[in-house]
């Protein structure tokens, strides 16, 4: 929890817990987050559904000595429930397994995980079969709603398998591990679509980014600092980029993680050329970029001026577009790796809109569109592009908000608390791993299932 979240600390002490229970106040709990060496789950994992996906998942987990159970009638505690629904062909097929989940939920431990696995609703091979399309969309609704019923830090999310993709695909395994682990602490009610079998498994799941060279813009503080630290923890060498005014903070971060600090204005038309030159000179390669740099210039549209609008658009969407176009023009021709990875920071404001943020929402929705537009081009050489849309993340900026506004924003999600910068960083680290190549063109919300938008 955030150091400033005194309410969450209070309700997790004996007296505060009793007060909250007596008068019916929210009781958010500290979330389980990842540290290197952690197991994916601390207790038994129940796999429901004798399907291809269910059998594959059970075999994968058994191979790593996890305590996997297949009997949903067991009266015991579980750290995770995995619900294989990849064979459903009609809404009536849901009943048996959903009711098995109902029974098992009573034994789900705090900070537990529920993961549904099913087939892509938009699969063109079944597009005219109304029964199949209906049930697959039905699973989406079930998953989102169940996520809102979770308590004590538990989450529900889904893995969607595209046509002919199985749980043996590297990206499917990477997504499963992410959603089971503490890396997904602030991800709830969301879906990761596995669109292809591309990618390769790491030799060490604790260092999936070993030998990667990745640029992070806006790396000096806040979410950018957390992204840099997390990528370095997972084995990457980070080229941290920020404005000259942030040089001291940027240098401190890069020295701590063994990266290199670069003072660069990303709106410069030659920014990408300079990054390629520097990466080639220092490392001989560039494997990915994280577009984190961004600004806010909030104002109601009736009071908006050109300076506020144009400066925000230039930093938040025009610069990433230009840099991506220049990087892709160099794809596989020397420094820029063929399997290049791009991740950009979108926002829940770009999905649902936000009062006083027409400029910001336009830019962040543009990031989502850019992600979809470049996906096919990158996939052709084994690369990928994705976006992460944070919700309420505890930063210096949110600490400066009025107390009442901040408290309301913290509680307006299924986990009833704000996220941390590391929660955003964990999702970005997932997307940059070789195993995740089959996740492409998607936007993953890291928002605790915010009540704003989906």
């Amino acid at each position: 929890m955030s150091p400033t979240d005194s309410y969450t600390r209070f309700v997790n002490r004996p007296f505060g817990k009793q007060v909250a229970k007596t008068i019916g106040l929210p009781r958010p709990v500290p979330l389980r987050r990842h540290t290197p060496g952690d197991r994916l789950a601390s207790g038994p994992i129940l796999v429901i559904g004798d399907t291809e996906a269910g059998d594959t998942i059970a075999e994968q987990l058994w191979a790593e000595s996890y305590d996997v159970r297949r009997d949903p009638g067991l009266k015991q505690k579980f750290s995770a429930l995995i619900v294989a629904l990849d064979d459903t062909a009609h809404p009536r097929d849901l009943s048996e397994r959903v009711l098995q989940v109902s029974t098992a939920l009573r034994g789900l431990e705090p900070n537990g995980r529920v993961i549904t696995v099913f087939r892509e609703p938009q699969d063109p091979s079944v597009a005219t079969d109304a029964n199949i399309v209906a049930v697959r969309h039905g699973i989406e609704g079930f998953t989102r709603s169940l996520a809102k019923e979770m308590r004590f830090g538990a989450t529900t999310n889904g893995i969607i398998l595209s046509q002919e993709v199985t749980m043996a695909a590297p990206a499917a395994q990477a997504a499963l591990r992410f959603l089971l682990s503490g890396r997904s602490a602030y991800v709830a009610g969301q879906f990761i679509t596995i669109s292809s079998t591309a990618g390769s498994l790491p030799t060490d799941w604790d260092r999936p980014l070993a030998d990667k060279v990745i640029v992070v813009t806006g790396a000096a503080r806040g979410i950018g600092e957390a992204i840099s630290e997390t990528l370095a923890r997972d084995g990457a060498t980070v080229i941290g980029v920020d404005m000259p005014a942030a040089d001291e903070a940027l240098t401190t971060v890069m020295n701590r993680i063994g990266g290199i600090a670069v003072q660069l204005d990303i709106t410069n038309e030659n920014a990408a050329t300079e990054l390629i030159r520097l990466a080639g000179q220092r490392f001989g390669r560039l494997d990915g970029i994280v577009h984190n740099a961004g600004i806010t210039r909030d104002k109601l549209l009736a009071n908006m001026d050109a300076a506020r609008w144009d400066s925000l658009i230039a930093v938040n969407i025009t610069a990433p577009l230009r840099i991506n176009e220049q990087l892709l023009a160099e794809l596989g021709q020397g420094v820029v790796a063929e399997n290049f990875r791009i991740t950009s920071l979108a926002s829940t404001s770009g999905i649902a809109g936000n009062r006083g943020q027409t400029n910001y929402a336009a830019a962040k929705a543009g990031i989502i569109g850019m992600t979809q537009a470049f996906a096919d081009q990158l996939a052709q050489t084994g690369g990928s592009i994705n976006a992460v849309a944070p919700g309420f993340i505890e930063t210096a900026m949110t600490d400066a908000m009025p107390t009442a506004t901040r408290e309301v924003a913290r509680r307006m999600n299924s986990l009833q608390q704000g996220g941390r910068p590391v929660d955003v960083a964990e999702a970005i680290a997932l997307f940059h791993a070789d195993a995740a190549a089959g996740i492409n063109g998607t936007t993953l919300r890291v928002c605790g299932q915010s009540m704003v938008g989906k």
Side-chain angles (χ1 to χ4, degrees), residues 28-32 110-113 150-155 185 415 417:
V29 303
L31 302 180
R32 173 173 67 99
N111 275 292
R113 299 286 188 263
M150 294 292 95
R151 301 184 302 160
F152 308 124
T155 62
L415 295 170
Q417 60 192 287

Side-chain angles (χ1 to χ4, degrees), residues 37-56:
D38 280 356
R39 298 276 283 168
L40 299 176
S42 58
I45 300 172
L46 176 62
V47 179
I48 297 174
D50 296 324
T51 72
E52 180 182 57
D55 292 344
T56 300

Side-chain angles (χ1 to χ4, degrees), residues 4 31 71 132 185 204 252 254 264 293 323 326 351 355 371 395 410 439:
T4 63
L31 302 180
D71 182 356
I132 293 178
D204 182 354
T252 298
M254 291 302 114
L264 181 67
I323 290 170
Q326 293 172 350
I351 295 171
R355 177 181 168 84
T371 299
T395 62
R410 279 174 172 157
I439 305 170

Side-chain angles (χ1 to χ4, degrees), residues 349-372:
S349 292
I351 295 171
N354 198 23
R355 177 181 168 84
Q357 288 195 322
T358 51
N359 51 358
Y360 188 74
K364 293 305 184 180
I367 288 289
I368 295 171
M370 176 189 74
T371 299
Q372 296 168 347

Side-chain angles (χ1 to χ4, degrees), residues 29 75 83 105 117 120 154 166 192 209 272 284 286 350 366 451:
V29 303
K75 305 295 184 183
V83 193
L105 277 175
V117 181
E120 169 63 67
T166 72
I192 299 177
L209 303 179
L286 183 59
M451 295 179 185

Side-chain angles (χ1 to χ4, degrees), residues 244-323:
D247 178 54
E248 184 176 351
L250 178 64
T251 300
T252 298
V253 173
M254 291 302 114
N255 285 343
R256 187 170 68 245
I257 66 171
I260 63 171
V262 178
Q263 300 177 33
L264 181 67
D265 182 351
I266 62 168
T267 64
N268 188 308
E269 292 195 1
N270 297 317
T273 302
E274 177 60 20
L275 290 172
I276 294 170
R277 184 196 66 78
L278 178 63
Q281 185 179 74
R282 294 292 297 269
F283 309 107
R285 61 181 296 114
L286 183 59
D287 298 288
I289 187 169
V290 180
H291 294 294
N292 167 71
I295 60 174
T296 55
R297 296 289 184 267
D298 294 356
K299 212 72 171 175
L300 294 177
L301 186 59
N303 301 318
M304 185 72 68
D305 55 44
R308 284 189 176 88
W309 184 277
D310 293 342
S311 62
L312 184 142
I313 294 297
V315 174
N316 291 21
I317 181 62
T318 303
L321 277 166
R322 181 189 299 115
I323 290 170

